[in-house]
């Protein structure tokens, strides 16, 4: 790479960094002004949003706003809101932390790329390598937070799916004891958090909404839509139907449990079949050649010695 071209690229990078810093300062000043106005008009709302007027809170909220805008560019279907619910990040602080990660990740990857490019061998100091590195850094910075959120959401949904059969057993016991739906939720929140760690958090939010005057049918419907798990959706649909129309709840819950157990048995059989196929590949690829060498090796060596005239 010629010195003139290298100087041009460095100047462009410095100019882009200065423009980014100027934009951050401008956005920071606008956010400070907005926070001051909100605090004067409605101090309680500003405090509930986490904007207490301190520099750290204002800067964090600025980054979160920019991260939310960046996330909106790559998430036209607003899937992030559903993933945040599935991951259990419901509070304002947790959501703000995720959007701050989304805003800072591209800059972190760019800084790491420039560091690696500076310590790389001179033969890699080419304009094409620099442009490819910048593009990959920006792409990874935009996608990594979303991938992390998706993985966490999928893992938590799997844990919730594993807790559904135990939830049905607890509901059957509580309903047989004469408790209503709201009382059953309260009992699970108070006494069942160690048994149902993930669903306990969800039902704690449900109980809070019910105590605030929410409709049971609507609250359970929102919970099912947010988690989006078929097993939990079936159980919540049954509870909504019983709460709205009344009737016997024990037998339908036990029938639902039987269906879930049959489905889990089929999933386990499918998993065992997959493991058996993989073990067959491993055995054929590694164990069978070793066994063949151990069994046929001495005879093969004897034949070679006989043909070579050693015997």
């Amino acid at each position: 790479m010629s010195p003139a071209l290298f100087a041009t690229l460095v100047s462009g990078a410095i100019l882009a960094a200065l423009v980014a810093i100027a934009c951050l300062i401008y956005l920071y000043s606008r956010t400070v002004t907005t926070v001051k106005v909100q605090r004067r008009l409605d101090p309680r709302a500003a405090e509930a949003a986490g904007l207490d007027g301190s520099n750290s809170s204002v800067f964090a909220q600025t980054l979160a706003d920019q991260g939310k805008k960046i996330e909106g560019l790559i998430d036209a279907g607003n899937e992030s809101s559903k993933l945040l619910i599935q991951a259990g990040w419901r509070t304002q602080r947790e959501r703000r932390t995720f959007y701050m990660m989304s805003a800072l990740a591209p800059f972190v990857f760019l800084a790491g790329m420039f560091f690696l490019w500076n310590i790389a061998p001179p033969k890699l100091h080419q304009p094409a390598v620099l442009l490819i590195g910048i593009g990959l850094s920006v792409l990874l910075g935009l996608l990594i937070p979303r991938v992390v959120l998706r993985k966490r959401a999928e893992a938590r949904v799997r844990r919730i799916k594993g807790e559904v059969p135990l939830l049905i057993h607890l509901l059957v016991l509580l309903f047989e004891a004469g408790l209503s739906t709201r009382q059953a939720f309260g009992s699970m929140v108070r006494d069942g958090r160690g048994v149902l760690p993930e669903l306990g958090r969800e039902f704690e939010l449900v109980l809070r909404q019910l105590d605030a005057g929410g409709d049971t049918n609507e609250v359970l419907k929102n919970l099912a839509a947010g988690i989006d798990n078929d097993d939990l959706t079936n159980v919540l649909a049954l509870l909504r139907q019983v709460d709205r129309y009344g009737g016997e709840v024990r037998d339908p819950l036990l029938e639902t449990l039987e269906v879930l157990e049959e489905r889990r048995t089929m999933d386990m059989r499918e998993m065992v079949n997959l493991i058996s196929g993989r073990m067959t590949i491993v055995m054929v690829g590694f164990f069978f050649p070793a066994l063949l060498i151990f069994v046929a090796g001495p005879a093969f060596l004897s034949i070679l010695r006989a043909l070579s005239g050693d015997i």
Side-chain angles (χ1 to χ4, degrees), residues 282-295:
V282 172
M283 184 176 64
V284 171
F286 297 95
F287 180 73
F288 183 72
L291 181 63
L292 184 63
I293 293 173
F294 180 77
V295 173

Side-chain angles (χ1 to χ4, degrees), residues 46-60:
E47 183 178 358
L51 303 176
D52 56 358
S54 62
N55 293 332
S56 60
S57 296
V58 173
F59 183 69

Side-chain angles (χ1 to χ4, degrees), residues 79-104:
E79 187 183 7
S80 297
S81 299
K82 185 176 181 179
L83 292 176
L84 286 169
I85 294 175
Q86 292 178 349
W89 294 346
R90 295 178 178 272
T91 64
Q92 180 71 20
R93 184 181 298 275
E94 292 171 341
R95 290 173 176 266
R96 186 171 64 180
T97 301
F98 168 72
Y99 288 124
M100 287 174 60
M101 289 173 51
S102 300
L104 291 175

